[in-house]
Amino acid sequence: MRSAPTILHLDMDAFFAAAEQAAKPSLRGKPVVVGGLGPRGVVSTASYEARRFGVHSAMPMGQARRLAPNAAYLVPRFSLYRAVSEQVMELLGRLSPLVEPLSLDEAFVDLEAGGTADDTASALAAGERLRRDIRAVTGLSGSVGLAGSKMLAKIGSEQAKPDGLVVIEPGTERALLGPMSVRTLPGVGPATGDHLRRAGMTTVADLAEAGEDELVRLLGKAHGASLYRMALGRDDRAVVSERDAKSVSVEDTFDVDLHDRVRVRTEVDRLAERCVERLRAAGRSGRTVVLKVRRYDFSTLTRSETLRGPTDDPGVVREAAGRLLESVDTTGGVRLLGVGVTGLADFTQEDLFAQAAADESAAAPHAPADEREREPAGAERAPGDGAAASGAAESGGGPTEAPDVPAERRFPAGHDVRHREFGAGWVQGSGLRRVTVRFEEPGSAPGRVRTFWADDPDLELSEPLPLVPAVAGQSSWPASRPKSRSESRSERDAGRSGGSGSGRARP
């Protein structure tokens, strides 16, 4: 434990939703919900305006729509979030070489290691300067907690939300934690919290008074002892700049339960390919293949197979996942599938089975292009009528009969587009082979809405624009780089949303 609050925890405020509001002037000050828009989608992030209606992260999207029917519902844009995250992490790196990212929008910083702070006054000055720099560079706000330990710094940033800073002075930990709920402490989820409540412990002070022996009796040696230390405000974990990932995985929730065994196997093959892509992007290989199946009744089965050595060969992972699927009964229907690889290594062991699988794959006839390039599982197969941002659409003209729309011309709600005549804008909604676009940019006034046929050659998807104009001689976006492990995990969690829906177009 430190004698000065030199550990900083930064948590960006409603990050995904705030980035969308900054990019879309017409949504500022209005409820915005980011997540999967399919029938089984879940909320990734809700703006503070949406939270007033009771919408929160991990809530089913259908429930969110009932609570806030007039909110803007948008598909995540990870290219934008990663670019903004890189700007924020660069600012944190100026404070100290010891920066521990937890996700795209959250990180610990050891100010003492960077010589930035050694007492309360200097730590406070560093925290305030960081908040100003983040707003100047990204246009967004972040909340900062300063304390002598990681646990308390994170609690401080939670208390500071939104857009604030809280300093927890060393020596005040027990007085601060005492009246707080036991759920405040890391590792205390709903089940543990309910178990402690039945034992008469609802506050952190109750845990401290109970003593270590009682907590060990209730929760086991490791968990009980750890919880007792945290209840006393003790946390000596160091800030580490890189944490090793233990696994790489992908999963999809389907809008409709899958009953066709052939379709289930096809989805497992596709997930295996995606898993290997992520594995290779991280420069890793893995030894154990894991299959996850959630059935129609929400029962979840996990099967694993350990290979002779680590591999990043898609054929090997695909075949192993297929063998695992054979041991699972899917006749009642499947609502979720996942494929993962654990036992990670930084090298690949050459495997005769992998080579054989690759040769077999190369000898097989190639599928048509429209079958190889498929939409993510759970994505709507035709333009739907999910709600998007409210507001009447003005007709942009067009033919009297709607032409067929190829799959590659889908326009997800909230994504950036550019029109040859009208310039930059974003998809307010799509459906019935039409695309409704609001033409506005970060920093502009709210723009006008126009509707086009989805096959309009003048309308194309585009890359996100910077949220804040570039300073002369500097680039707005950092140079592109591979996704970090924490970013991949964040994207995977948000991607468990059941696909990308479409908003309603009203030409």
Side-chain angles (χ1 to χ4, degrees), residues 177-189 192-197 200-208 215 227 230-231:
L177 291 172
M180 292 184 176
S181 166
V182 294
R183 292 288 305 276
T184 304
L185 300 179
V188 181
T192 301
D194 189 56
H195 188 51
L196 292 171
R197 180 187 59 79
M201 305 177 198
T202 58
T203 67
V204 176
D206 293 336
L207 300 180
L215 293 178
L227 198 58
M230 289 189 291

Side-chain angles (χ1 to χ4, degrees), residues 209-346:
E209 292 172 4
E212 182 175 358
D213 292 341
E214 177 65 11
L215 293 178
V216 168
R217 186 186 69 81
L218 288 171
L219 305 174
K221 184 174 182 179
H223 196 186
S226 172
L227 198 58
Y228 180 68
R229 288 195 301 271
M230 289 189 291
L232 299 180
R234 299 173 185 168
D235 177 21
D236 56 1
R237 293 174 299 159
V239 177
V240 292
S241 58
E242 182 65 26
R243 297 185 300 169
D244 196 25
K246 294 181 174 60
S247 65
V248 173
S249 63
V250 295
E251 61 183 45
D252 274 331
T253 301
F254 306 101
D255 291 348
V256 179
D257 289 347
L258 304 184
H259 293 84
D260 183 2
R261 187 74 176 185
V262 175
R263 170 72 189 284
V264 172
R265 174 58 192 265
T266 300
E267 296 297 343
V268 168
D269 289 347
R270 184 182 58 81
L271 289 168
E273 297 280 352
R274 284 174 51 194
C275 181
V276 170
E277 288 176 4
R278 183 167 292 176
L279 192 68
R280 288 179 169 177
R284 310 300 292 275
S285 61
R287 185 184 180 94
T288 302
V289 178
V290 180
L291 175 71
K292 178 180 177 181
V293 180
R294 180 166 296 154
R295 299 189 289 190
Y296 68 99
D297 58 356
F298 287 89
S299 61
T300 302
L301 304 177
T302 303
R303 300 288 185 269
S304 64
E305 176 181 324
T306 299
L307 308 173
R308 296 192 305 181
T311 183
D312 64 354
D313 186 283
V316 173
V317 176
R318 186 173 57 245
E319 292 304 318
R323 287 192 296 272
L324 294 171
L325 179 63
E326 294 302 319
S327 64
V328 178
D329 179 14
T330 62
T331 54
V334 173
R335 63 181 291 118
L336 177 146
L337 287 170
V339 174
V341 176
T342 65
L344 302 187
D346 292 323

Side-chain angles (χ1 to χ4, degrees), residues 14 47 285 485:
S47 69
S285 61
R485 294 165 191 153

Side-chain angles (χ1 to χ4, degrees), residues 116-202:
T116 308
D118 56 9
D119 58 14
T120 300
S122 56
L124 181 60
E128 291 289 7
R129 185 171 66 253
L130 173 64
R131 293 177 59 235
R132 289 195 301 269
D133 290 345
I134 289 175
R135 185 173 290 279
V137 172
T138 69
L140 305 180
S141 66
S143 296
V144 170
L146 292 163
S149 68
K150 292 168 69 172
M151 178 186 74
L152 290 165
K154 184 172 176 62
I155 290 174
S157 68
E158 284 295 322
Q159 290 186 325
K161 283 186 169 295
D163 192 20
L165 184 150
V166 167
V167 179
I168 299 177
E169 289 281 3
T172 66
E173 297 91 349
R174 291 195 63 175
L176 173 74
L177 291 172
M180 292 184 176
S181 166
V182 294
R183 292 288 305 276
T184 304
L185 300 179
V188 181
T192 301
D194 189 56
H195 188 51
L196 292 171
R197 180 187 59 79
R198 290 196 298 270
M201 305 177 198
T202 58

Side-chain angles (χ1 to χ4, degrees), residues 9-16 44-45 78 81-90 92 99-109 154 157-158 161 240-243 481 483-494:
H9 180 263
L10 169 71
D11 195 354
M12 300 295 289
D13 300 324
F15 182 47
F16 292 178
S44 174
T45 307
F78 288 104
Y81 311 147
R82 279 195 295 270
V84 177
S85 176
E86 288 177 11
Q87 292 179 313
V88 173
M89 296 303 166
E90 181 181 347
L92 296 181
V99 177
E100 182 179 338
L102 303 179
S103 63
L104 286 170
D105 62 335
E106 186 179 2
F108 287 109
V109 183
K154 184 172 176 62
S157 68
E158 284 295 322
K161 283 186 169 295
V240 292
S241 58
E242 182 65 26
R243 297 185 300 169
R481 59 167 173 79
K483 288 178 283 188
S484 70
R485 294 165 191 153
S486 60
E487 292 168 349
S488 295
R489 180 174 66 251
S490 176
E491 182 170 339
R492 181 187 72 238
D493 294 341

